[in-house]
């Protein structure tokens, strides 16, 4: 049977073909390079964050149209609090700004907004905006747009280990029941499949405390393209690269 295929004409890289059958179910993205994008234009860093927000909208639309089920975007790490206060304050307004512009479209497209990370430490106005978006899209069964906000993987693992220990002490869990699958159930991603594809933009090749457990078998795609310049074309290239690989999950062929 001929596989259904999508053909993409791209200016710089020639034709890229991806097949509808092999679309990654879960794509996770470390959205790096916003500050660098701004610096290249002699603009303040916040201008880069603003531009990066538009990319979030574009890539969400593309992922949804391609049939991706989960798109996780690393928007703010637990380490990002170390940035200058003015920048942090600006970043914390982005969820509201993003949602006041795009929430109606997301609802229209059947997208479900979710988040992982510690929401409690975020400013109240940010919490309200995100909470409201999650509530308004809770019944949508299209793409899950999962924001990692105030997320750190080691903190997530510490919290999971504490919860496991508590359940063992309380007799709700036996030592024998602590398995790979059990640990997964104690993480913030317990309801999600593990990422099939991780993309990091802007030429950095690090995980930066992102989904350390969940990325055990994930394919990685690195690109020098800065997040504000990242477009559907680049997403297609990443998926095409993913589709050329054979995933063995530690086994043979
Ligand atoms: C800045 C590039 C959308 C990365 C994208 C608070 C850094 C733009 C959101 C967003 C950020 C978050 C939750 C939500 C809706 C939208 C966002 C932050 C930063 C950190 F429900 N873009 N965006 N959040 N940037």
């Amino acid at each position: 049977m001929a596989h259904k295929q999508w053909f993409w004409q791209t200016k710089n890289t020639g034709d890229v073909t991806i097949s509808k059958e092999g679309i990654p179910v879960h794509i996770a993205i470390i959205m790096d390079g916003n500050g660098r994008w701004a610096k290249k234009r002699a603009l303040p860093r916040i201008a880069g964050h603003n531009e990066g927000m538009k990319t979030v909208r574009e890539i969400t639309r593309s992922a949804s149209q391609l049939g991706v089920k989960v798109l996780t975007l690393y928007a703010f790490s637990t380490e990002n609090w170390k940035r200058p206060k003015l920048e942090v304050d600006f970043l914390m307004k982005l969820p509201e700004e993003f949602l006041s512009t795009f929430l109606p479209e997301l609802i229209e497209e059947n997208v479900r907004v979710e988040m992982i990370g510690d929401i409690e430490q975020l400013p109240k106005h940010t919490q309200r905006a995100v909470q409201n978006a999650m509530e308004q899209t809770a019944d949508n069964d299209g793409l899950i747009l999962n924001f990692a906000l105030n997320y750190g993987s080691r903190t997530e693992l510490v919290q999971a280990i504490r919860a496991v220990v508590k359940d063992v002490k309380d007799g709700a869990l036996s030592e024998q029941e602590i398995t790979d699958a059990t640990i997964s159930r104690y993480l913030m991603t317990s309801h999600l499949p593990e990422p099939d594809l991780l993309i990091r933009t802007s030429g950095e090749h690090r995980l930066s405390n992102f989904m350390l457990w969940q990325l055990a078998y994930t394919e990685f795609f690195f690109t020098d393209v800065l997040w504000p310049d990242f477009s559907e074309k680049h997403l297609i290239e990443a998926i095409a690269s993913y589709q050329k690989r054979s995933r063995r999950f530690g086994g043979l062929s």
Side-chain angles (χ1 to χ4, degrees), residues 217 246-253:
Y217 296 106
S246 73
R247 300 180 73 193
R248 296 194 298 275
F249 298 94
L252 293 173
S253 92

Side-chain angles (χ1 to χ4, degrees), residues 201-242:
T201 57
S202 189
E204 303 297 339
H205 301 174
R206 293 187 292 277
L207 284 183
S208 302
N209 201 16
F210 184 61
M211 289 195 166
L212 301 177
W213 176 276
Q214 296 89 336
L215 296 172
Y217 296 106
T218 304
E219 298 288 337
F220 290 6
F221 182 86
F222 298 106
T223 173
D224 289 341
V225 174
L226 309 179
W227 178 249
D229 294 326
F230 193 82
S231 67
E232 176 170 73
K233 175 189 108 162
H234 302 110
L235 180 66
I236 299 286
E237 283 170 3
I239 294 173
S241 165
Y242 167 85

